[in-house]
Amino acid sequence: MAAPSIPIVRDQWYVAAYGDEVTRTFLARTICNEPIVFYRAQDGAPVALADRCVHRRFPLSESRLDGDKIVCGYHGFTYETDGSCSFVPGQERIPRTARVTSYPVVEQDSFIWVFIGNPALAGQREIPRAPWLDKDSGYVTSAGMEPIRSRYSMLVDNLLDLSHETYLHAGYIGTPEVARTPMTTRVDDEADIVYVSRHMDDAECPPFYARSTGIEGRIDRWQDIEYHAPCLYLLHSRVAPVGVPPNEDGTDPEGNHLEVTYAITPETDNSVFDFWAISRDFAEDDDEVTEFMAKNNHTVVMQDVDALNILETVIEREPEGFQELSIKIDEGGLAARKVLKKMAEAAGAA
């Protein structure tokens, strides 16, 4: 199979920003090849408009706010929050085509979501949840965002095959058991969700977990992935002393639980925004643990960023017809590629 070249899936919700990034100051961000300006109206509601004035393409993100209206900084064309133009210079008549695209936008689970594609379909596409990111969830979260100079499907590949932790992330979260423990993969074709699970018994405790949980010695370690194509990746991680399973009623007082969230948002055909967050239900009041996890998880993320940046340059230079080799550990990534291809084709046909 050749390296993935999957078109960006349209008619879908994508994470555009964290909620605290969108303020009364403009945020310019390209999502799925579309330049968009984000800001908040005076009532706090997020707004997303095409970041180009219809007159001479001047970026609205380089303009100014007048109440909730954007006044173009070049010739003064003025736009309402729905994208309609309410003023043009030098004439009273406003041309029928004087409007910019207004994107459906939703704030949920600390993210600002924007709908790319046919806005009439926005209400038909359910936004996947990551409730632990909510400030009142009881979880403590460390989060960030890194741009990657790689097509988005390569980040999906990376996250669906965690065996690379053993090698790329050795000394942080990688141990030999991750690569050698078999995983199970299944696909919900109706919901477009790929599930990959790997449960490791009596495994080495990597420094990341030893320092944060305080567990000494070996551990039982679970990794249960849900990939909600195309936009959200959830890793439910459990770390516990060896031989201490959850109770039959589902409670798990001896387990330490981490919810790892990645929002995968294509910027262009060959670049992607990697929104990452790690949320924990233990050591909630320990600021040192929070600082440690934020610093070390950022290091792990940057190891992936560097690897994917390298891979993109390799793929761009490789000869026509080059075939890659896939093995058992690639089942999750291959399943995700199939789902993404199906979704892209369906959006194209529509």
Side-chain angles (χ1 to χ4, degrees), residues 24 39-45 66-68:
R24 292 285 290 168
Y39 68 99
R40 288 189 187 273
Q42 294 177 104
D43 64 1
D66 178 9
D68 288 344

Side-chain angles (χ1 to χ4, degrees), residues 3 9 41 68 85 158 181 212 245 276 284 309 338:
V9 179
D68 288 344
C85 184
N158 171 279
T181 301
S212 59
W276 61 269
E284 295 97 327
N309 286 343
K338 186 178 295 186

